[in-house]
Amino acid sequence: MSSEGSRRRDVTVADVAKAAQVSKAQAARALGNYGAVSEDVRERVLAAAEGLGYRPNELARSMNTGKSNTIGVVVGDIENPHFGLATRGITDTAKKSGYNVILINTDEERAAEVDAVQVLLDKRVDGLIVAPASSVETAHLKEVRDSGRPLVLLDRAAEGLDVETFAVDMGTISYESTKYLIEAGHRRIAFVSTVRTDGPYVAGMSLDSSQISDRLEGIRRAFEEEGLSQPMDLVRLNAGDADSIMRITRDLLKGPDAATAIIASDGLIALSVVEAIQESGLSIPSDVSLIMYDDFAWTRLTTPPLTVIAQPVYDMGMAAATALIRQIEGRKSSSPAGPPLEARLVRRGSVGSPKDVGVLSQAGS
Amino acid sequence: MSSEGSRRRDVTVADVAKAAQVSKAQAARALGNYGAVSEDVRERVLAAAEGLGYRPNELARSMNTGKSNTIGVVVGDIENPHFGLATRGITDTAKKSGYNVILINTDEERAAEVDAVQVLLDKRVDGLIVAPASSVETAHLKEVRDSGRPLVLLDRAAEGLDVETFAVDMGTISYESTKYLIEAGHRRIAFVSTVRTDGPYVAGMSLDSSQISDRLEGIRRAFEEEGLSQPMDLVRLNAGDADSIMRITRDLLKGPDAATAIIASDGLIALSVVEAIQESGLSIPSDVSLIMYDDFAWTRLTTPPLTVIAQPVYDMGMAAATALIRQIEGRKSSSPAGPPLEARLVRRGSVGSPKDVGVLSQAGS
DNA sequence: TTGAAAGCGCTAACAG
DNA sequence: CTGTTAGCGCTTTCAA
């Protein structure tokens, strides 16, 4: 209780200068260690600073240098392990280069994102990493671009916006995964995503998420190549919360035209899908096959372990931060691009052949 | 390509004032909306601002108001869903009151934490929420306190530091959970945690984490009450990474004195414990029982679903942010304290009776 | 209401 | 090397 608890005026360079008997400028130079300072002065200043408990005011510093050493990160949902891991990749990389991170959650709400970007700009962050909630409405991102502030995108691209984007090629992996299901004999393949749309899905429709469009396109392509056509009635967007996903799953699994395989667009969705399947008394993969996006540790522990599409999420965050910082510091891309950010299909136990594979094969085309 | 892409000078209040033909002071008042401004002036200024695309410089604003509307959050690992969820609770609450969050990850490294706190203070955040890596070495936190900046703790307490702390009562829930295992017939109950210690664990030893000390104490108490004593050879700290945890688990399950139940200190640990158990060809709960801390969605999907200790993690984050903001804004605690932050044991399928329950019972005491 | 002027704490010219 | 003098963009006296 010896030190006065309440907020006393901060110690400033002026105070330190006085104590060290030098000019404010010299003290500032020694403290900020820039410019030319004699050894003698430096020592006296540092000692005085130490004694007084001086701490630089980074706000003031940022004001005249125009640099805040802070980057803004805008994601849909930090609670989602996908973003948790990506954020870790970002913060780790940022820290190494001396940057801090201001994190804003948008809940995948466009209005919140517009707001977030504005706030970050007002706070004069040195650059922005955003995982755009919409790949279509990107006016606010264009503004960032135009303001001249470095910007990179994570996870999804933005239409008509030419900025570095760090995401895997969803079309290709989706194509491969679908192919894998088709080869196992599946024809009734469902796709479940939470992406919001105005109306029901029709092929080639423009979606808010480039990710999802690409995945759907990959599925279509795989079917087409076999001379089949994708069962559009099994594409379920707007999946919403856990209850809603379970309802959709039950619906998908019902009747003579039931799905025999489900692709879950992310780990959260898969959780509810699996729960609904278990509740229905069906089993994986003998009754239904399942593939989910993202490879989380728990997917190895379910019975059976899940076949997943693994994305190098941490690396994506790292690459995004690295590129952003390069832009901020005005360096040219030194290394070509870092590792290529590829997704891959991890075959575990949740994909099998549908029961009535013979019948379906004939029904195909 | 119409707007000049590169970084042009920002428009300032001075620019707006000139365009609106008023003094800088009046423009600033209208823009910052404080002080007294006539309707006429306000309109002209706002119009001019709009036209010029004026955006306030929050750094400058913070400099003279001494308020940054930013809070600093220091956690061990944002990749851990536990912190992901808590962070969500914090950011949601902060946003509602107009605060932003600077997030720093420490990797549970004390040095990194000391650094983080310093950086945040230098950036003049309005307050700090930290989940201390160590409950013992807390000098840096005391300094925060002394600097007069609001501070609240999350998840773990800090010795001899009288600040609001938001965490559940680990002693009680640990006691109850152990009791539950003992009643099921278990005597050989293991506890696995990643907390780092210098030497092997001895009862009552001071640990870096108040959380873990409390849990251990709860276990001890439960045994004691039954006239038994806790099997100290089954307390495994310093568990480290996944491989290390699997090794420890195999060791715990081996020999005549094998553990019949394991309490995993968090979800990440449980993941590796379960994996090791499965690899050993043993099954839960017939061969080994398991309880883990934190209730994640996936724990319902394993076979069997896991019995867990659920903590209101989101609420903890929310409560911490609420309290911090109250402190910042100098208000007295209005509502008593919000919901009481209680952990509860969720009985699912991973706890059963040990095979040789009869023998062990006799061996007891 | 208004405006002029003085800061906030620091960095950045510019002379010595 | 050192000190003086201006700012950075905003808020805040203080008079008018």
Side-chain angles (χ1 to χ4, degrees):
Chain A
M1 302 289 144
S2 62
S3 59
E4 44 229 286
S6 64
R7 205 179 299 206
R8 56 186 185 290
R9 216 183 105 284
D10 286 334
V11 178
T12 73
V13 269
D15 300 322
V16 176
K18 196 171 302 170
Q21 320 237 51
V22 294
S23 73
K24 220 177 57 175
Q26 277 311 83
R29 289 196 256 254
L31 261 8
N33 84 79
Y34 57 91
V37 187
S38 67
E39 204 35 56
D40 174 46
V41 170
R42 159 165 287 111
E43 275 172 19
R44 291 213 321 272
V45 170
L46 262 28
E50 173 84 56
L52 296 174
Y54 168 81
R55 288 271 82 212
N57 181 329
E58 291 296 346
L59 289 178
R61 208 167 249 183
S62 297
M63 265 217 52
N64 356 230
T65 57
K67 251 209 128 224
S68 59
N69 288 304
T70 301
I71 67 184
V73 173
V74 181
V75 298
D77 180 10
I78 188 63
E79 175 187 344
N80 184 326
H82 177 93
F83 285 122
L85 190 50
T87 302
R88 189 69 148 83
I90 294 172
T91 54
D92 284 359
T93 309
K95 186 190 294 194
K96 264 184 212 136
S97 300
Y99 289 83
N100 288 112
V101 167
I102 297 188
L103 179 75
I104 305 189
N105 226 102
T106 63
D107 236 331
E108 301 292 3
E109 218 70 76
R110 218 188 71 88
E113 184 177 304
V114 173
D115 226 73
V117 166
Q118 201 59 268
V119 167
L120 258 8
L121 251 24
D122 291 354
K123 278 199 184 298
R124 298 305 191 261
V125 295
D126 293 334
L128 290 174
I129 297 178
V130 4
S134 167
S135 297
V136 182
E137 304 184 62
T138 56
H140 59 301
L141 297 177
K142 293 209 177 78
E143 269 176 38
V144 174
R145 241 290 112 108
D146 292 347
S147 83
R149 261 206 185 55
L151 165 71
V152 305
L153 264 29
L154 185 68
D155 239 34
R156 14 232 217 216
E159 264 171 34
L161 187 59
D162 180 32
V163 301
E164 288 188 86
T165 302
F166 297 87
V168 302
D169 177 356
M170 284 300 169
T172 305
I173 190 66
S174 172
Y175 164 82
E176 287 172 12
S177 307
T178 307
K179 196 91 185 199
Y180 174 61
L181 287 173
I182 292 177
E183 276 161 12
H186 294 278
R187 296 297 177 270
R188 300 287 296 162
I189 301 174
F191 179 79
V192 183
S193 160
T194 45
V195 72
R196 276 164 277 193
T197 60
D198 291 331
Y201 179 71
V202 291
M205 171 178 181
S206 158
L207 293 176
D208 237 21
S209 162
S210 65
Q211 289 249 31
I212 305 300
S213 304
D214 292 351
R215 292 179 193 179
L216 251 6
E217 168 57 21
I219 296 177
R220 195 196 54 69
R221 194 147 47 87
F223 270 100
E224 189 180 73
E225 208 176 273
E226 302 282 334
L228 303 167
S229 66
Q230 179 186 6
M232 302 303 288
D233 59 313
L234 298 180
V235 175
R236 300 302 173 90
L237 309 182
N238 301 298
D241 63 9
D243 280 344
S244 159
I245 297 168
M246 290 182 65
R247 210 173 317 118
I248 288 173
T249 306
R250 281 191 294 268
D251 189 56
L252 245 18
L253 263 24
K254 175 179 72 186
D257 267 352
T260 61
I262 297 178
I263 301 176
S265 198
D266 72 33
L268 254 31
I269 295 174
L271 240 21
S272 298
V273 169
V274 174
E275 203 169 351
I277 293 174
Q278 290 184 348
E279 271 189 12
S280 304
L282 298 175
S283 69
I284 302 173
S286 59
D287 297 311
V288 211
S289 288
L290 178 72
I291 290 182
M292 78 168 234
Y293 277 82
D294 271 332
D295 182 19
F296 297 135
W298 60 263
T299 57
R300 285 183 315 226
L301 301 187
T302 53
T303 315
L306 305 183
T307 291
V308 301
I309 292 170
Q311 303 182 59
V313 183
Y314 182 92
D315 289 343
M316 285 160 55
M318 189 171 82
T322 304
L324 183 69
I325 291 171
R326 181 172 34 65
Q327 277 189 41
I328 291 173
E329 304 187 341
R331 285 181 280 112
K332 288 292 155 206
S333 79
S334 47
S335 50
L341 299 181
E342 274 173 9
R344 57 180 225 290
L345 182 66
V346 181
R347 294 171 176 76
R348 291 205 267 253
S350 62
V351 171
S353 290
K355 279 180 175 159
D356 39 8
V357 50
V359 179
L360 276 174
S361 286
Q362 288 166 17
S365 109
Chain B
M1 298 286 145
S2 61
S3 59
E4 45 231 283
S6 65
R7 207 179 301 205
R8 58 185 183 291
R9 215 183 105 284
D10 286 334
V11 342
T12 74
V13 268
D15 300 322
V16 175
K18 196 172 303 171
Q21 319 238 54
V22 296
S23 73
K24 219 176 59 175
Q26 277 311 84
R29 289 195 255 254
L31 262 8
N33 86 79
Y34 56 90
V37 187
S38 68
E39 204 35 55
D40 174 46
V41 169
R42 159 165 286 112
E43 275 173 20
R44 292 212 322 272
V45 170
L46 262 28
E50 172 82 56
L52 296 174
Y54 168 81
R55 289 269 84 215
N57 182 329
E58 292 296 345
L59 289 178
R61 207 167 250 183
S62 297
M63 265 215 50
N64 0 217
T65 57
K67 250 213 128 221
S68 58
N69 288 303
T70 301
I71 67 185
V73 174
V74 181
V75 299
D77 180 10
I78 188 63
E79 177 187 343
N80 185 326
H82 176 93
F83 285 122
L85 190 50
T87 302
R88 188 72 146 81
I90 294 172
T91 54
D92 284 358
T93 309
K95 186 190 296 197
K96 266 186 212 133
S97 301
Y99 288 83
N100 288 112
V101 167
I102 297 188
L103 179 75
I104 306 189
N105 225 102
T106 63
D107 237 331
E108 301 292 4
E109 218 71 76
R110 218 188 72 88
E113 183 176 304
V114 173
D115 226 72
V117 166
Q118 201 59 268
V119 167
L120 258 9
L121 250 25
D122 290 354
K123 277 198 185 296
R124 299 303 193 260
V125 295
D126 294 332
L128 290 174
I129 297 178
V130 3
S134 167
S135 297
V136 182
E137 304 184 63
T138 56
H140 58 301
L141 297 177
K142 293 211 178 75
E143 270 176 37
V144 174
R145 240 290 110 109
D146 291 346
S147 83
R149 261 205 186 54
L151 166 71
V152 307
L153 265 29
L154 184 68
D155 239 35
R156 15 230 217 218
E159 264 172 35
L161 186 59
D162 180 33
V163 300
E164 287 188 86
T165 302
F166 298 87
V168 301
D169 176 356
M170 285 299 171
T172 305
I173 190 68
S174 173
Y175 164 82
E176 287 172 12
S177 308
T178 308
K179 197 94 185 197
Y180 173 62
L181 287 172
I182 292 176
E183 276 162 13
H186 294 279
R187 295 298 176 271
R188 299 288 296 162
I189 300 174
F191 179 79
V192 183
S193 160
T194 45
V195 74
R196 276 164 278 195
T197 61
D198 291 332
Y201 180 71
V202 293
M205 169 179 183
S206 158
L207 292 177
D208 237 21
S209 163
S210 63
Q211 289 249 30
I212 306 300
S213 305
D214 291 352
R215 292 179 192 179
L216 252 6
E217 168 57 21
I219 296 176
R220 195 197 52 69
R221 194 147 46 88
F223 270 100
E224 189 179 73
E225 208 177 272
E226 301 284 331
L228 303 167
S229 67
Q230 179 186 5
M232 302 303 287
D233 58 315
L234 298 181
V235 175
R236 301 302 172 90
L237 309 182
N238 302 298
D241 63 10
D243 280 344
S244 159
I245 296 167
M246 290 182 65
R247 210 175 316 118
I248 287 173
T249 306
R250 281 191 293 268
D251 189 57
L252 243 20
L253 262 24
K254 174 179 71 186
D257 267 353
T260 62
I262 298 178
I263 300 176
S265 198
D266 71 34
L268 254 32
I269 295 173
L271 239 21
S272 298
V273 169
V274 173
E275 202 169 352
I277 292 175
Q278 290 184 348
E279 271 188 14
S280 302
L282 298 175
S283 69
I284 302 173
S286 58
D287 297 310
V288 209
S289 288
L290 178 72
I291 290 182
M292 78 169 235
Y293 276 83
D294 271 332
D295 180 21
F296 297 135
W298 60 263
T299 57
R300 286 184 313 226
L301 301 187
T302 53
T303 314
L306 305 183
T307 291
V308 301
I309 292 170
Q311 303 182 57
V313 183
Y314 182 92
D315 289 343
M316 285 161 55
M318 189 170 82
T322 303
L324 183 69
I325 291 172
R326 181 173 34 65
Q327 277 189 42
I328 291 173
E329 304 187 341
R331 284 181 281 111
K332 288 290 155 207
S333 81
S334 46
S335 50
L341 298 181
E342 274 173 7
R344 59 180 225 289
L345 182 66
V346 181
R347 294 170 176 77
R348 290 205 268 254
S350 62
V351 171
S353 289
K355 278 179 175 160
D356 39 6
V357 49
V359 178
L360 276 173
S361 284
Q362 287 166 19
S365 107

